[in-house]
Amino acid sequence: MSGAPDPEALARAVAGTVGDGSVVDLRRLSGGASRETWSFDLVDAGGARRGFVLRRDPGEHVGDSDRSTEYQLIQAAAAAGVAVPRVLTLLRPEDGLGRGFVMDRIEGETIPRRILRDDAYADARPRLAAQCGEIAARIHAIAPSSLPDLPGLDAAAQIEQYRTLIDTFGEPHPAFELGLRWLAERVPPPPARPELVHGDFRNGNFIVGPDGIRAVLDWELAHVGDPIEDLGWLCVKSWRFGVADRLVGGFGSVPDLLAAYEGAGGRTVDEATLRFWVGLGTLKWGVICIGQAFTHLNGLVRSVELATLGRRVAETEWDLLQILDGGW
Amino acid sequence: MTQDRPTAAELVRAVREFLEGDVMAATEGRVQFHTRVAVNALGMIERELTDGPGFVAAERERAAAILEHDISGHAGDARDLEIELAAAIRNGSLDDRLDAVRDHVRATVREKLLVANPGYLPPDPSA
């Protein structure tokens, strides 16, 4: 499944849901080392154009992530008033395009460094943290019982998961060991009833326009657990993309985020709980970076980009030590 | 035997400069992005060739002191010491000296960043 998708196969795959047409301007969008995102236009017989995005898994994957779950989740989010791209077509095996789906293309920016620096988003930036709070509250209000079966993953389970993963890779990370000890001593009480967690709620997974957040992307890591995980992940330093003093995604402040979250029905979050989840998120990103490097080292996907992620682990170790010392 | 000039670090630098100049200018999109990634990787190798041995020696001394190992006279591998340290942090056997452990770990992570991405570190007040 390497290389560009076949435009004719793509046109056939979407014909049933969006109508006949020919695929033009097929191009790979940047970002996403582990998953392919393609943009294309469909031109119908009358010459009308409509923009779409194809998301699909590249290569032969180990494990079996079910894209239909993500598809249903995005539809549930849309029904709950969360801005998401409309998902139109779930790829079938007979389409010959791999696993994935086609959705409406929403115009806007996803590249964090542009969102944080370009003049076009200068007016939007001060509003993004509050928007994140409102959106997160809406996501967390979706009843898990209305969704397809999602994995349950609470704080204690995640600590155990990352400890095991670190052992699997077999490389010593004393900074992460200090972090695991610190986290294990501070596991917040689990929520009365587990809630839907987006799982990758951060700068980089938002489509942003001059008016603010237009859509939330990347629902593939959704699970059921403690919703404050999403707020902590949003504040992880790696997702501030160089604007370290704006704790929320590099664009906003924690008080703005939490006030909006609470105002939209989310629960009250104290600093210690947020710090726990930022710490766990930092560790998680560090372990993911190790995993990405090993995806290269094991020969699963050879890539200079994945290889160098192994050397970014030290950044997350540094960040985690800062959090242990009371910094952010 | 000693190799002729350029040294390994000088050769890596030559390749990095080629990528940074000619290749960056002749590429776009993903290939250009990956060229930039490759340039960064070569910068890490240059710094590791230059500063790595000193960092590893310092790390080894610090880790051995905390673990109370005598490393004089034989080559206690820094990686082996870090493996032992990681296990000891986990099982609690260093809990009586956690401040020293934290200082060592912080110093080691700082040395890793001085190779991987020096710009990530706050300015050194002692420099």
Side-chain angles (χ1 to χ4, degrees), chain A residues 20 72 75 80 96 128 156 187 216 221 286 311 314:
Chain A
D20 290 323
Q72 290 176 59
Q75 288 180 322
L128 296 179
V187 176
V216 179
L221 297 174
R311 294 295 186 102

Side-chain angles (χ1 to χ4, degrees), chain B residues 23-75:
Chain B
V23 179
M24 285 297 289
T27 53
E28 57 178 18
R30 284 184 70 76
V31 176
Q32 191 184 62
F33 170 70
H34 283 139
T35 303
R36 188 173 293 121
V37 172
V39 165
N40 286 338
L42 293 175
M44 288 180 212
I45 298 170
E46 288 174 65
R47 291 186 292 273
E48 187 163 332
L49 287 168
T50 309
D51 300 329
F55 289 155
V56 172
E59 176 189 13
R60 181 168 163 267
E61 298 257 335
R62 288 192 310 260
I66 288 170
L67 294 164
E68 295 176 345
H69 285 344
D70 181 6
I71 53 166
S72 61
H74 69 91

Side-chain angles (χ1 to χ4, degrees), chain A residues 28 163 167 170-175 177-178 180-181 237 304-305 308 311 314-315 317-319 321 325, chain B residues 30 33-34 37 41 44 48 79 82-83 86 89-90 92 95 105-106 109 112-113 115-117 120-122:
Chain A
R28 177 131 189 215
R163 187 186 286 127
D167 289 347
E171 294 297 315
H173 289 280
E177 296 301 330
L178 288 171
L180 286 166
R181 287 281 303 270
K237 196 173 160 199
V304 69
E305 185 185 2
T308 53
R311 294 295 186 102
E315 295 175 14
E317 291 179 332
W318 181 263
D319 296 345
L321 293 174
D325 286 343
Chain B
R30 284 184 70 76
F33 170 70
H34 283 139
V37 172
M44 288 180 212
E48 187 163 332
R79 186 172 178 279
E82 291 292 345
I83 289 172
I89 293 169
R90 188 180 295 191
D95 284 6
V105 172
R106 204 179 292 109
V109 172
K112 289 202 274 188
L113 284 172
V115 167
N117 184 6
Y120 200 76
L121 290 164

Side-chain angles (χ1 to χ4, degrees), chain A residues 291-304 306-307:
Chain A
Q292 299 279 46
F294 273 87
T295 300
H296 165 85
L297 294 170
N298 293 337
L300 205 58
V301 181
R302 296 290 292 179
S303 150
V304 69
L306 293 177

Side-chain angles (χ1 to χ4, degrees), chain A residues 6-14 95-97:
Chain A
D6 173 34
E8 286 175 16
L10 193 51
R12 277 195 301 275
V14 299
D95 294 324
L97 292 162

Side-chain angles (χ1 to χ4, degrees), chain A residues 98-151:
Chain A
R99 273 171 190 286
F101 48 78
V102 174
M103 53 196 184
D104 265 330
R105 188 175 67 223
I106 295 176
E107 299 305 327
E109 188 56 78
T110 57
I111 297 172
R113 288 184 184 278
R114 293 195 188 143
I115 292 168
L116 296 181
R117 288 166 181 82
D118 282 8
D119 289 344
Y121 313 107
D123 292 339
R125 277 192 290 272
R127 297 201 301 269
L128 296 179
Q131 269 194 309
C132 284
E134 288 165 25
I135 294 169
R138 268 184 225 143
I139 293 171
H140 299 158
I142 299 171
S145 58
S146 70
L147 298 169
D149 255 353
L150 293 171

